[in-house]
Amino acid sequence: MIIALDAMGGDNAPVSTVHGAVLAARESKHKILLVGQEKVLSEELLKYHKRYDLTSLNIEIVNATEVIGMGEHPAKAVRQKKDSSLSVCAKLVADGKADAFVSMGNSGAAMAAALFYLKRIEGVLRPAISTTFPTIDGSCLIADMGANVDCEPAHLLQFALMASIYSEKVLGITNPRVGLVSIGEEPSKGNKLTLAAYELIKNTNLNFVGNLEGRDIPASKADVVIADGFVGNVILKFGEGLAEMILKLVKKGLKKHPVAWASLPFLWLAIKDLRTKVDYNSTGGAPLLGVNGVCVIGHGRSESKAVKNAIFAAANAAEHDLTHEIKAAVEKYSVNAQSEKTNE
Amino acid sequence: MIIALDAMGGDNAPVSTVHGAVLAARESKHKILLVGQEKVLSEELLKYHKRYDLTSLNIEIVNATEVIGMGEHPAKAVRQKKDSSLSVCAKLVADGKADAFVSMGNSGAAMAAALFYLKRIEGVLRPAISTTFPTIDGSCLIADMGANVDCEPAHLLQFALMASIYSEKVLGITNPRVGLVSIGEEPSKGNKLTLAAYELIKNTNLNFVGNLEGRDIPASKADVVIADGFVGNVILKFGEGLAEMILKLVKKGLKKHPVAWASLPFLWLAIKDLRTKVDYNSTGGAPLLGVNGVCVIGHGRSESKAVKNAIFAAANAAEHDLTHEIKAAVEKYSVNAQSEKTNE
C-alpha cells in the first residue's frame, strides 16, 4: 500500500510524523509519501541516517509548500491552500497515486480536504469519523465522534451501516453487534433523534442490539456504538479525562500508605496494560467513513508511535475496499430513510 | 426537619429504606416519616428492636396502601395510584406536613409526583434533576441528568441558574463556576442547542466559565456542569461503567504478576477512597430543582447507606429555602430568554 502522510500536521510535527513514517517503513512493506515542505522534511529525515539505511526505507518526500494550522477555519483553509500538505495528500489519493492518507493536523480541515477532493460516496448524507474505544473485553468502534454535531435519524442509520461494515471488514469482527447510545434499554427510551433512529436501524439486516445506556459501552455490550457527533465527542473526551483522573487517584491513594510504597512498581505493571488500552497513541487514528477513499485522522497530540499506528490503520483500511459495500448498504436502506421522512 | 421517605420504592426496599431510616434517625435529629404499607413497614422496623431502642428513634410510619413499580409508566402511575407511597410522600410535603421527600423508586414517577403535587416554581419551564459527580478535586453538580431529554436553549439557561443556586446555598460553593458541556472550548464550538444556550448563559451574572469539553468535567474545570438530560444521563452512566471497568482491569493486571499479589491489600486501601468517590451510595441522591418543595431522588439500587445519605441531602436542601431564589433568578432572566426566541 502507498500511504500519503501529512507530515506537517499535528502538534508534534514534523518530528513525530517523520519519526512515525520511519518506524512504519521499517516495520512494514508500505510505501510512505512524506508530504510537506521538502527542505524541512529532508532535514528531519536526515537525522535518522546514522541509525537506519535511509536508501532502503520505502519513504519518498512529496513537496507541498503550504501548511494548514491547527486553529484555521477548516473549509476556508482547504479552499485557499491548494498546495498545503493536507490538500496534496487528499489529491494524491483522489488521483490514485496513494491508497490512503493520514493526518494528525486540523481534523476539521482533514475532513474538509477529504470531502473536497475525494467526494462523498454516492448516497452518503454525512461522512462520519469513527474511532475505537477500550472496553472490558477489548474495544468498540464509536461513530460519529464529532464530525456531525446536529444529526437527523437517517444520519445515525448511515453511521450504523458504515461503521458496521468497517468493524466487520477492517477490524475483523464477525457480525458486529450495533448499539445506539440512549438513556435506557427499552426502545421507548431516548430523545426524538434516537427514538426515530432506533426504528430505522431496527429495520436493517444489521445485528442491532438496541439501545445502549452509558454504562453498556465499557461493559462491551456492542462492537459498534452509534451516537451523533456531539454525544460521541463528549463521551470520548470524558472517558479520556475520567481514566486519567482515576489512575491519578489510585496512585495518590497508594502513596498515602508508606507501607504500600513497595507495591508501586507492581502497580505500574498493572496500569501499563490499562494505559495501552486507553492511550490514543495505540489506537492509531480515526477513519473517516463515507468518502471515496481512505482517510485516517489522528489525534493532534500524536507521538511517533501514534503516527506509525495510524499509517498501519490506513493501510489496513485501504486493503479492504469499503466503498462498494458502503454504497450498496446506503442504497439498500435509502428508501426506508426517505419514506420515514415522508411519514413524519 | 421532617423527611418523608418512600419506604416502598427501590430495588432493595423495604429492607434498605427502613434500615436507612433507622441509620438516619440514629445519626441526626431529623424526624423520618416511613411512608408505605403499614404492616410491611412495622414488621421490617421491628427487626431492629434488639439493636436499638425503637421508641427513642424519631421514626413514624405513615400508611399508604399502594406501591408504584419500577417499570410503571410514571405519569399514569402517579395519576392512578393516589394512595401510593410516592404520592403520599409528595402530598405530605405539599400539605406542609413534611419538609422534603426522598424516593429510591421509579425516578420518572418521583418527578411526576413532585410536579403533580408540589407544582413547578413560577417561571420554571422544566424542573431538572441534578446530581454530584466526582472530580479530581472533589465533585461537581451535573444538571440535567435525565429528566429532560429534548431541550431548548432557555431550559439550559434555567438549569444553570437553578443548579448554581443549589451549589452555592446547599453545597456551600462560593461563586460556583458554571460550565456548558460542548465539544470545544471556543464559544463557536457546539451544536445548535449549546451555541444558543451559550449566549443566554453568558448574559447572566453567573460565574460562567464557558464551554467544557468532556475531559474538563473530571478535571474539575467547573462546579456546575450544564447539559441536556440526554447528554447528562449518558455521561453519568458512562462514568459509572468506565470507573468499574478501570478498577477491574487494574485488579486483573495486578493479579497477573504473582510477585504483586502481596501488594493487593494496599491497593484495596487506595481503591477504597476512589470507590467512595464514585459510589452512588455516598452521594446520597439527586435533588429535583425547580419544584415548590424539596424532592431528592435516589438510585434504584440504593443500599441503606445511600438511603441515609439521601435523607441527609434532603434535610440539608430543606434547611435552605431555595424556592424564592430560584423564582427571582428565573424571573430576572426570563426576558432575555424570550427576546432570544423572538430574534430567531
Side-chain angles (χ1 to χ4, degrees), chain A residues 149-150 181 183 190-192 213-215 218 230 235 237-238 240-242 246 249 254 256-257 259-260 263 266 269-270 273-274, chain B residues 149-150 181 183 190-192 213-215 218 230 235 237-238 240-241 246 249 254 256 259-260 263 266 269-270 273-274 301:
Chain A
V149 291
D150 287 297
V181 176
I183 59 163
N191 58 15
K192 281 179 199 157
E213 290 196 274
R215 69 170 71 87
F230 187 90
I235 287 176
K237 290 184 182 161
F238 178 67
E240 248 180 64
L242 191 66
I246 291 174
L249 291 177
L254 269 187
K256 269 205 292 192
H257 308 284
V259 76
S263 76
F266 305 116
L269 290 173
D273 292 350
L274 184 63
Chain B
V149 290
D150 287 296
V181 176
I183 58 163
N191 58 15
K192 281 180 200 158
E213 290 195 276
R215 70 170 71 86
F230 187 90
I235 288 175
K237 290 185 182 160
F238 179 66
E240 250 180 63
I246 291 175
L249 290 176
L254 269 187
K256 269 206 292 192
V259 78
S263 76
F266 305 114
L269 290 173
D273 292 351
L274 184 64
R301 284 182 280 156

Short mmCIF file of all heavy atoms in Angstrom, two decimals, chain A residues 149-150 181 183 190-192 213-215 218 230 235 237-238 240-242 246 249 254 256-257 259-260 263 266 269-270 273-274, chain B residues 149-150 181 183 190-192 213-215 218 230 235 237-238 240-241 246 249 254 256 259-260 263 266 269-270 273-274 301:
data_model
loop_
_atom_site.label_atom_id
_atom_site.label_comp_id
_atom_site.label_asym_id
_atom_site.label_seq_id
_atom_site.Cartn_x
_atom_site.Cartn_y
_atom_site.Cartn_z
N VAL A 149 -22.43 17.42 14.47
CA VAL A 149 -22.98 17.69 15.79
C VAL A 149 -24.50 17.75 15.82
O VAL A 149 -25.11 17.48 16.85
CB VAL A 149 -22.39 18.97 16.41
CG1 VAL A 149 -20.93 18.74 16.74
CG2 VAL A 149 -22.57 20.16 15.50
N ASP A 150 -25.13 18.13 14.72
CA ASP A 150 -26.59 18.15 14.68
C ASP A 150 -27.04 17.13 13.64
O ASP A 150 -26.81 17.31 12.45
CB ASP A 150 -27.10 19.55 14.32
CG ASP A 150 -26.94 20.52 15.48
OD1 ASP A 150 -27.57 20.28 16.52
OD2 ASP A 150 -26.16 21.49 15.34
N VAL A 181 -26.59 4.69 21.33
CA VAL A 181 -26.45 5.33 22.65
C VAL A 181 -27.76 6.03 23.01
O VAL A 181 -28.28 6.83 22.25
CB VAL A 181 -25.31 6.36 22.66
CG1 VAL A 181 -25.25 7.08 24.01
CG2 VAL A 181 -23.98 5.69 22.35
N ILE A 183 -30.73 6.55 26.75
CA ILE A 183 -30.79 6.72 28.21
C ILE A 183 -31.58 5.60 28.87
O ILE A 183 -31.99 5.73 30.02
CB ILE A 183 -31.40 8.08 28.57
CG1 ILE A 183 -32.82 8.18 27.98
CG2 ILE A 183 -30.56 9.21 28.06
CD1 ILE A 183 -33.63 9.26 28.61
N GLY A 190 -35.33 7.48 25.09
CA GLY A 190 -34.44 8.23 24.23
C GLY A 190 -34.93 9.63 23.98
O GLY A 190 -35.92 10.06 24.57
N ASN A 191 -34.23 10.35 23.12
CA ASN A 191 -34.74 11.66 22.70
C ASN A 191 -35.35 11.49 21.30
O ASN A 191 -35.37 10.39 20.74
CB ASN A 191 -33.64 12.73 22.76
CG ASN A 191 -32.43 12.41 21.91
OD1 ASN A 191 -32.50 11.52 21.05
ND2 ASN A 191 -31.34 13.09 22.13
N LYS A 192 -35.86 12.58 20.74
CA LYS A 192 -36.56 12.47 19.45
C LYS A 192 -35.67 11.82 18.41
O LYS A 192 -36.11 10.98 17.63
CB LYS A 192 -36.97 13.87 18.98
CG LYS A 192 -38.21 14.40 19.66
CD LYS A 192 -38.54 15.80 19.13
CE LYS A 192 -39.45 16.55 20.08
NZ LYS A 192 -39.34 18.02 19.89
N GLU A 213 -27.17 2.02 27.29
CA GLU A 213 -27.02 3.06 28.29
C GLU A 213 -25.53 3.37 28.37
O GLU A 213 -24.69 2.57 27.93
CB GLU A 213 -27.52 2.56 29.64
CG GLU A 213 -29.02 2.40 29.68
CD GLU A 213 -29.51 2.29 31.11
OE1 GLU A 213 -29.50 1.16 31.62
OE2 GLU A 213 -29.88 3.30 31.70
N GLY A 214 -25.19 4.51 28.96
CA GLY A 214 -23.78 4.89 29.06
C GLY A 214 -22.91 3.76 29.58
O GLY A 214 -21.82 3.50 29.05
N ARG A 215 -23.39 3.07 30.60
CA ARG A 215 -22.54 2.05 31.23
C ARG A 215 -22.35 0.81 30.35
O ARG A 215 -21.43 0.02 30.58
CB ARG A 215 -23.11 1.64 32.59
CG ARG A 215 -24.40 0.85 32.54
CD ARG A 215 -24.76 0.28 33.90
NE ARG A 215 -25.17 1.34 34.81
CZ ARG A 215 -26.42 1.79 34.92
NH1 ARG A 215 -27.38 1.27 34.17
NH2 ARG A 215 -26.74 2.74 35.78
N PRO A 218 -18.50 0.71 28.11
CA PRO A 218 -17.33 -0.01 28.63
C PRO A 218 -17.62 -1.47 28.97
O PRO A 218 -16.71 -2.29 28.97
CB PRO A 218 -16.93 0.79 29.89
CG PRO A 218 -18.10 1.65 30.21
CD PRO A 218 -18.85 1.87 28.95
N PHE A 230 -21.98 15.08 18.57
CA PHE A 230 -21.88 15.83 19.83
C PHE A 230 -21.72 14.84 20.99
O PHE A 230 -20.77 14.93 21.76
CB PHE A 230 -23.13 16.69 20.01
CG PHE A 230 -23.06 17.62 21.19
CD1 PHE A 230 -22.55 18.90 21.07
CD2 PHE A 230 -23.50 17.21 22.45
CE1 PHE A 230 -22.46 19.76 22.16
CE2 PHE A 230 -23.42 18.06 23.54
CZ PHE A 230 -22.91 19.34 23.40
N ILE A 235 -18.51 11.82 24.99
CA ILE A 235 -18.20 10.52 25.59
C ILE A 235 -16.69 10.24 25.53
O ILE A 235 -16.06 9.89 26.52
CB ILE A 235 -18.94 9.38 24.85
CG1 ILE A 235 -20.42 9.40 25.17
CG2 ILE A 235 -18.35 8.02 25.22
CD1 ILE A 235 -21.21 8.35 24.37
N LYS A 237 -14.05 12.24 25.02
CA LYS A 237 -13.18 13.12 25.79
C LYS A 237 -13.41 12.96 27.29
O LYS A 237 -12.48 13.05 28.08
CB LYS A 237 -13.39 14.57 25.36
CG LYS A 237 -12.85 14.82 23.96
CD LYS A 237 -12.98 16.27 23.58
CE LYS A 237 -12.49 16.54 22.16
NZ LYS A 237 -13.03 17.81 21.66
N PHE A 238 -14.65 12.71 27.67
CA PHE A 238 -14.97 12.46 29.07
C PHE A 238 -14.27 11.18 29.53
O PHE A 238 -13.68 11.13 30.61
CB PHE A 238 -16.49 12.34 29.23
CG PHE A 238 -16.95 12.05 30.63
CD1 PHE A 238 -16.79 12.97 31.63
CD2 PHE A 238 -17.58 10.85 30.93
CE1 PHE A 238 -17.22 12.71 32.92
CE2 PHE A 238 -18.03 10.57 32.21
CZ PHE A 238 -17.84 11.52 33.21
N GLU A 240 -11.53 9.82 28.31
CA GLU A 240 -10.09 10.12 28.41
C GLU A 240 -9.79 10.78 29.76
O GLU A 240 -8.89 10.37 30.48
CB GLU A 240 -9.73 11.13 27.32
CG GLU A 240 -8.83 10.62 26.20
CD GLU A 240 -8.56 11.73 25.18
OE1 GLU A 240 -7.94 12.76 25.52
OE2 GLU A 240 -9.04 11.56 24.05
N GLY A 241 -10.58 11.81 30.07
CA GLY A 241 -10.36 12.58 31.30
C GLY A 241 -10.62 11.76 32.55
O GLY A 241 -9.89 11.86 33.53
N LEU A 242 -11.65 10.94 32.50
CA LEU A 242 -12.02 10.16 33.68
C LEU A 242 -10.95 9.09 33.96
O LEU A 242 -10.58 8.87 35.11
CB LEU A 242 -13.39 9.51 33.47
CG LEU A 242 -14.00 8.89 34.72
CD1 LEU A 242 -14.32 9.96 35.75
CD2 LEU A 242 -15.28 8.13 34.38
N ILE A 246 -8.88 8.71 37.42
CA ILE A 246 -8.92 7.51 38.26
C ILE A 246 -7.50 6.99 38.53
O ILE A 246 -7.14 6.66 39.66
CB ILE A 246 -9.81 6.43 37.62
CG1 ILE A 246 -11.27 6.89 37.68
CG2 ILE A 246 -9.64 5.08 38.32
CD1 ILE A 246 -12.25 5.98 36.96
N LEU A 249 -5.82 9.14 41.07
CA LEU A 249 -6.34 8.94 42.42
C LEU A 249 -5.85 7.63 43.01
O LEU A 249 -5.56 7.54 44.21
CB LEU A 249 -7.87 9.01 42.43
CG LEU A 249 -8.47 10.39 42.15
CD1 LEU A 249 -9.99 10.31 42.10
CD2 LEU A 249 -8.04 11.40 43.21
N LEU A 254 -2.33 5.13 46.94
CA LEU A 254 -1.27 4.19 47.32
C LEU A 254 -0.14 4.92 48.03
O LEU A 254 0.44 4.40 48.99
CB LEU A 254 -0.72 3.48 46.09
CG LEU A 254 -1.40 2.18 45.70
CD1 LEU A 254 -0.64 1.51 44.57
CD2 LEU A 254 -1.48 1.21 46.89
N LYS A 256 -0.30 7.36 49.94
CA LYS A 256 -0.68 7.76 51.30
C LYS A 256 -0.27 6.71 52.33
O LYS A 256 -0.15 7.01 53.50
CB LYS A 256 -2.21 7.95 51.38
CG LYS A 256 -2.67 9.36 51.09
CD LYS A 256 -4.01 9.66 51.74
CE LYS A 256 -5.14 8.88 51.11
NZ LYS A 256 -6.48 9.34 51.52
N HIS A 257 -0.11 5.46 51.89
CA HIS A 257 0.21 4.38 52.82
C HIS A 257 1.67 4.00 52.64
O HIS A 257 2.00 3.24 51.73
CB HIS A 257 -0.70 3.18 52.56
CG HIS A 257 -2.15 3.52 52.53
ND1 HIS A 257 -2.87 3.77 53.66
CD2 HIS A 257 -3.01 3.69 51.50
CE1 HIS A 257 -4.13 4.07 53.34
NE2 HIS A 257 -4.23 4.04 52.03
N VAL A 259 3.60 1.94 53.79
CA VAL A 259 3.90 0.52 53.69
C VAL A 259 3.55 -0.01 52.30
O VAL A 259 4.01 -1.06 51.87
CB VAL A 259 3.17 -0.26 54.81
CG1 VAL A 259 1.69 -0.41 54.50
CG2 VAL A 259 3.82 -1.60 55.08
N ALA A 260 2.74 0.76 51.57
CA ALA A 260 2.33 0.32 50.23
C ALA A 260 3.28 0.83 49.14
O ALA A 260 3.15 0.45 47.98
CB ALA A 260 0.91 0.79 49.92
N SER A 263 4.72 -1.47 46.81
CA SER A 263 3.87 -2.11 45.80
C SER A 263 3.77 -1.28 44.53
O SER A 263 3.28 -1.74 43.51
CB SER A 263 2.47 -2.33 46.36
OG SER A 263 1.77 -1.11 46.39
N PHE A 266 4.75 -2.62 41.13
CA PHE A 266 3.84 -3.63 40.58
C PHE A 266 2.58 -2.98 40.03
O PHE A 266 2.01 -3.42 39.05
CB PHE A 266 3.49 -4.67 41.64
CG PHE A 266 4.70 -5.29 42.25
CD1 PHE A 266 5.01 -5.12 43.58
CD2 PHE A 266 5.58 -6.03 41.45
CE1 PHE A 266 6.15 -5.68 44.12
CE2 PHE A 266 6.72 -6.59 41.99
CZ PHE A 266 7.01 -6.41 43.33
N LEU A 269 3.09 -1.92 36.59
CA LEU A 269 2.91 -3.02 35.62
C LEU A 269 1.44 -3.20 35.30
O LEU A 269 1.05 -3.37 34.15
CB LEU A 269 3.48 -4.32 36.20
CG LEU A 269 5.00 -4.41 36.34
CD1 LEU A 269 5.38 -5.68 37.08
CD2 LEU A 269 5.66 -4.38 34.96
N ALA A 270 0.62 -3.15 36.35
CA ALA A 270 -0.81 -3.36 36.15
C ALA A 270 -1.43 -2.24 35.35
O ALA A 270 -2.29 -2.44 34.50
CB ALA A 270 -1.51 -3.47 37.51
N ASP A 273 -0.85 -2.01 31.12
CA ASP A 273 -1.81 -2.60 30.16
C ASP A 273 -2.99 -1.65 29.95
O ASP A 273 -3.47 -1.48 28.84
CB ASP A 273 -2.40 -3.91 30.72
CG ASP A 273 -1.35 -4.99 30.81
OD1 ASP A 273 -0.24 -4.79 30.27
OD2 ASP A 273 -1.65 -6.03 31.41
N LEU A 274 -3.43 -1.10 31.07
CA LEU A 274 -4.59 -0.23 31.03
C LEU A 274 -4.28 1.02 30.22
O LEU A 274 -5.05 1.45 29.38
CB LEU A 274 -4.96 0.16 32.46
CG LEU A 274 -6.20 0.99 32.62
CD1 LEU A 274 -7.41 0.22 32.14
CD2 LEU A 274 -6.38 1.37 34.08
N VAL B 149 -35.00 15.17 28.04
CA VAL B 149 -34.10 14.68 27.00
C VAL B 149 -34.05 15.57 25.77
O VAL B 149 -33.05 15.60 25.07
CB VAL B 149 -34.44 13.23 26.58
CG1 VAL B 149 -34.11 12.28 27.71
CG2 VAL B 149 -35.89 13.10 26.17
N ASP B 150 -35.13 16.29 25.49
CA ASP B 150 -35.10 17.22 24.35
C ASP B 150 -35.25 18.63 24.90
O ASP B 150 -36.31 18.99 25.41
CB ASP B 150 -36.23 16.89 23.36
CG ASP B 150 -35.95 15.62 22.57
OD1 ASP B 150 -34.96 15.62 21.82
OD2 ASP B 150 -36.69 14.64 22.72
N VAL B 181 -21.54 21.84 28.78
CA VAL B 181 -20.91 20.70 28.09
C VAL B 181 -20.99 20.91 26.58
O VAL B 181 -22.08 21.13 26.04
CB VAL B 181 -21.59 19.37 28.47
CG1 VAL B 181 -20.99 18.21 27.67
CG2 VAL B 181 -21.45 19.11 29.96
N ILE B 183 -18.28 20.55 22.66
CA ILE B 183 -17.25 19.74 22.00
C ILE B 183 -15.99 20.55 21.71
O ILE B 183 -15.16 20.15 20.91
CB ILE B 183 -17.77 19.13 20.70
CG1 ILE B 183 -18.24 20.25 19.76
CG2 ILE B 183 -18.91 18.17 20.97
CD1 ILE B 183 -18.39 19.79 18.34
N GLY B 190 -19.94 23.70 19.17
CA GLY B 190 -21.12 23.15 19.81
C GLY B 190 -22.17 22.75 18.80
O GLY B 190 -21.93 22.82 17.59
N ASN B 191 -23.31 22.31 19.29
CA ASN B 191 -24.44 22.07 18.38
C ASN B 191 -25.40 23.25 18.50
O ASN B 191 -25.15 24.20 19.25
CB ASN B 191 -25.12 20.72 18.67
CG ASN B 191 -25.63 20.59 20.09
OD1 ASN B 191 -25.73 21.59 20.81
ND2 ASN B 191 -25.94 19.39 20.52
N LYS B 192 -26.49 23.22 17.74
CA LYS B 192 -27.40 24.37 17.72
C LYS B 192 -27.86 24.73 19.13
O LYS B 192 -27.91 25.90 19.50
CB LYS B 192 -28.64 24.05 16.86
CG LYS B 192 -28.38 24.16 15.37
CD LYS B 192 -29.66 23.81 14.60
CE LYS B 192 -29.34 23.42 13.17
NZ LYS B 192 -30.40 22.61 12.56
N GLU B 213 -15.18 20.76 27.55
CA GLU B 213 -15.05 19.53 26.78
C GLU B 213 -15.25 18.38 27.75
O GLU B 213 -15.13 18.56 28.97
CB GLU B 213 -13.67 19.45 26.15
CG GLU B 213 -13.48 20.45 25.04
CD GLU B 213 -12.26 20.11 24.21
OE1 GLU B 213 -11.15 20.49 24.62
OE2 GLU B 213 -12.43 19.47 23.17
N GLY B 214 -15.53 17.20 27.23
CA GLY B 214 -15.74 16.04 28.10
C GLY B 214 -14.66 15.90 29.17
O GLY B 214 -14.95 15.65 30.34
N ARG B 215 -13.41 16.10 28.77
CA ARG B 215 -12.31 15.86 29.72
C ARG B 215 -12.24 16.91 30.81
O ARG B 215 -11.61 16.71 31.85
CB ARG B 215 -10.97 15.76 28.99
CG ARG B 215 -10.46 17.06 28.40
CD ARG B 215 -9.03 16.89 27.93
NE ARG B 215 -8.96 16.05 26.74
CZ ARG B 215 -9.09 16.50 25.47
NH1 ARG B 215 -9.30 17.78 25.25
NH2 ARG B 215 -9.03 15.68 24.46
N PRO B 218 -14.11 15.72 34.68
CA PRO B 218 -13.31 15.14 35.78
C PRO B 218 -12.13 16.01 36.18
O PRO B 218 -11.65 15.94 37.31
CB PRO B 218 -12.84 13.79 35.22
CG PRO B 218 -13.08 13.84 33.76
CD PRO B 218 -14.15 14.83 33.51
N PHE B 230 -30.34 14.21 28.10
CA PHE B 230 -29.83 13.06 27.35
C PHE B 230 -28.33 12.95 27.55
O PHE B 230 -27.81 11.92 27.97
CB PHE B 230 -30.17 13.23 25.85
CG PHE B 230 -29.84 12.03 25.01
CD1 PHE B 230 -30.76 11.02 24.82
CD2 PHE B 230 -28.59 11.89 24.43
CE1 PHE B 230 -30.46 9.90 24.05
CE2 PHE B 230 -28.27 10.79 23.66
CZ PHE B 230 -29.21 9.78 23.47
N ILE B 235 -23.46 10.70 30.16
CA ILE B 235 -22.19 10.98 30.85
C ILE B 235 -22.14 10.23 32.18
O ILE B 235 -21.17 9.55 32.50
CB ILE B 235 -22.03 12.49 31.13
CG1 ILE B 235 -21.73 13.25 29.84
CG2 ILE B 235 -20.92 12.75 32.15
CD1 ILE B 235 -21.68 14.77 30.06
N LYS B 237 -23.89 7.67 33.43
CA LYS B 237 -23.88 6.21 33.38
C LYS B 237 -22.60 5.69 32.74
O LYS B 237 -22.08 4.65 33.13
CB LYS B 237 -25.11 5.70 32.63
CG LYS B 237 -26.39 5.94 33.43
CD LYS B 237 -27.59 5.33 32.75
CE LYS B 237 -28.87 5.61 33.50
NZ LYS B 237 -30.05 5.44 32.62
N PHE B 238 -22.09 6.42 31.76
CA PHE B 238 -20.83 6.05 31.13
C PHE B 238 -19.70 6.14 32.17
O PHE B 238 -18.84 5.26 32.26
CB PHE B 238 -20.56 6.98 29.96
CG PHE B 238 -19.28 6.73 29.24
CD1 PHE B 238 -19.08 5.56 28.53
CD2 PHE B 238 -18.26 7.68 29.26
CE1 PHE B 238 -17.88 5.34 27.85
CE2 PHE B 238 -17.07 7.47 28.58
CZ PHE B 238 -16.88 6.29 27.88
N GLU B 240 -19.92 5.85 35.44
CA GLU B 240 -20.10 4.73 36.37
C GLU B 240 -19.47 3.47 35.77
O GLU B 240 -18.69 2.77 36.42
CB GLU B 240 -21.59 4.45 36.53
CG GLU B 240 -22.20 4.79 37.88
CD GLU B 240 -23.69 4.47 37.89
OE1 GLU B 240 -24.07 3.28 37.73
OE2 GLU B 240 -24.46 5.42 38.03
N GLY B 241 -19.84 3.19 34.52
CA GLY B 241 -19.37 1.97 33.86
C GLY B 241 -17.87 1.99 33.61
O GLY B 241 -17.19 0.97 33.78
N ILE B 246 -12.23 0.22 34.76
CA ILE B 246 -10.82 0.53 35.04
C ILE B 246 -10.36 -0.18 36.31
O ILE B 246 -9.29 -0.79 36.35
CB ILE B 246 -10.61 2.06 35.14
CG1 ILE B 246 -10.79 2.67 33.75
CG2 ILE B 246 -9.23 2.39 35.70
CD1 ILE B 246 -10.75 4.19 33.72
N LEU B 249 -9.80 -3.79 35.61
CA LEU B 249 -8.60 -4.05 34.82
C LEU B 249 -7.34 -3.87 35.66
O LEU B 249 -6.36 -4.62 35.49
CB LEU B 249 -8.56 -3.12 33.59
CG LEU B 249 -9.61 -3.42 32.52
CD1 LEU B 249 -9.55 -2.39 31.40
CD2 LEU B 249 -9.43 -4.82 31.93
N LEU B 254 -2.87 -6.59 38.26
CA LEU B 254 -2.03 -6.87 39.41
C LEU B 254 -1.97 -8.38 39.67
O LEU B 254 -0.94 -8.92 40.04
CB LEU B 254 -2.57 -6.17 40.65
CG LEU B 254 -2.03 -4.77 40.93
CD1 LEU B 254 -2.54 -4.29 42.27
CD2 LEU B 254 -0.51 -4.75 40.93
N LYS B 256 -2.01 -10.68 37.60
CA LYS B 256 -1.18 -11.38 36.61
C LYS B 256 0.26 -11.54 37.09
O LYS B 256 0.98 -12.40 36.61
CB LYS B 256 -1.18 -10.59 35.29
CG LYS B 256 -2.28 -10.99 34.34
CD LYS B 256 -1.90 -10.69 32.89
CE LYS B 256 -1.85 -9.19 32.64
NZ LYS B 256 -1.78 -8.84 31.23
N VAL B 259 4.23 -11.83 41.99
CA VAL B 259 5.03 -11.12 42.98
C VAL B 259 4.27 -9.88 43.49
O VAL B 259 4.60 -9.34 44.54
CB VAL B 259 6.42 -10.76 42.37
CG1 VAL B 259 6.30 -9.57 41.44
CG2 VAL B 259 7.46 -10.54 43.45
N ALA B 260 3.27 -9.46 42.75
CA ALA B 260 2.50 -8.27 43.14
C ALA B 260 1.31 -8.62 44.02
O ALA B 260 0.65 -7.73 44.55
CB ALA B 260 2.01 -7.52 41.90
N SER B 263 0.88 -6.97 47.17
CA SER B 263 0.51 -5.56 47.20
C SER B 263 -1.00 -5.34 47.16
O SER B 263 -1.48 -4.24 47.38
CB SER B 263 1.15 -4.83 46.02
OG SER B 263 0.44 -5.13 44.84
N PHE B 266 -2.84 -3.40 49.85
CA PHE B 266 -2.61 -1.95 49.84
C PHE B 266 -3.40 -1.28 48.73
O PHE B 266 -3.86 -0.17 48.85
CB PHE B 266 -1.11 -1.65 49.71
CG PHE B 266 -0.31 -2.33 50.76
CD1 PHE B 266 0.59 -3.34 50.43
CD2 PHE B 266 -0.48 -2.01 52.10
CE1 PHE B 266 1.31 -3.99 51.40
CE2 PHE B 266 0.24 -2.66 53.09
CZ PHE B 266 1.15 -3.65 52.74
N LEU B 269 -6.79 -0.49 49.84
CA LEU B 269 -6.86 0.76 50.61
C LEU B 269 -6.95 1.95 49.66
O LEU B 269 -7.73 2.87 49.86
CB LEU B 269 -5.62 0.91 51.51
CG LEU B 269 -5.53 -0.05 52.69
CD1 LEU B 269 -4.18 0.10 53.38
CD2 LEU B 269 -6.66 0.21 53.68
N ALA B 270 -6.11 1.90 48.63
CA ALA B 270 -6.07 3.02 47.68
C ALA B 270 -7.39 3.13 46.92
O ALA B 270 -7.89 4.23 46.67
CB ALA B 270 -4.92 2.84 46.71
N ASP B 273 -10.85 4.79 48.78
CA ASP B 273 -11.19 6.22 48.67
C ASP B 273 -11.88 6.50 47.35
O ASP B 273 -12.84 7.26 47.28
CB ASP B 273 -9.92 7.09 48.69
CG ASP B 273 -9.23 7.04 50.03
OD1 ASP B 273 -9.82 6.48 50.97
OD2 ASP B 273 -8.10 7.55 50.13
N LEU B 274 -11.32 5.87 46.33
CA LEU B 274 -11.84 6.10 44.99
C LEU B 274 -13.26 5.58 44.88
O LEU B 274 -14.15 6.23 44.36
CB LEU B 274 -10.93 5.38 43.99
CG LEU B 274 -11.27 5.58 42.54
CD1 LEU B 274 -11.10 7.04 42.16
CD2 LEU B 274 -10.37 4.73 41.67
N ARG B 301 -30.88 1.20 42.91
CA ARG B 301 -30.14 0.12 43.57
C ARG B 301 -29.60 0.51 44.94
O ARG B 301 -28.77 -0.19 45.51
CB ARG B 301 -28.98 -0.30 42.65
CG ARG B 301 -29.44 -1.14 41.47
CD ARG B 301 -28.26 -1.57 40.61
NE ARG B 301 -27.82 -0.51 39.72
CZ ARG B 301 -26.59 -0.40 39.20
NH1 ARG B 301 -25.67 -1.28 39.54
NH2 ARG B 301 -26.27 0.56 38.38
#
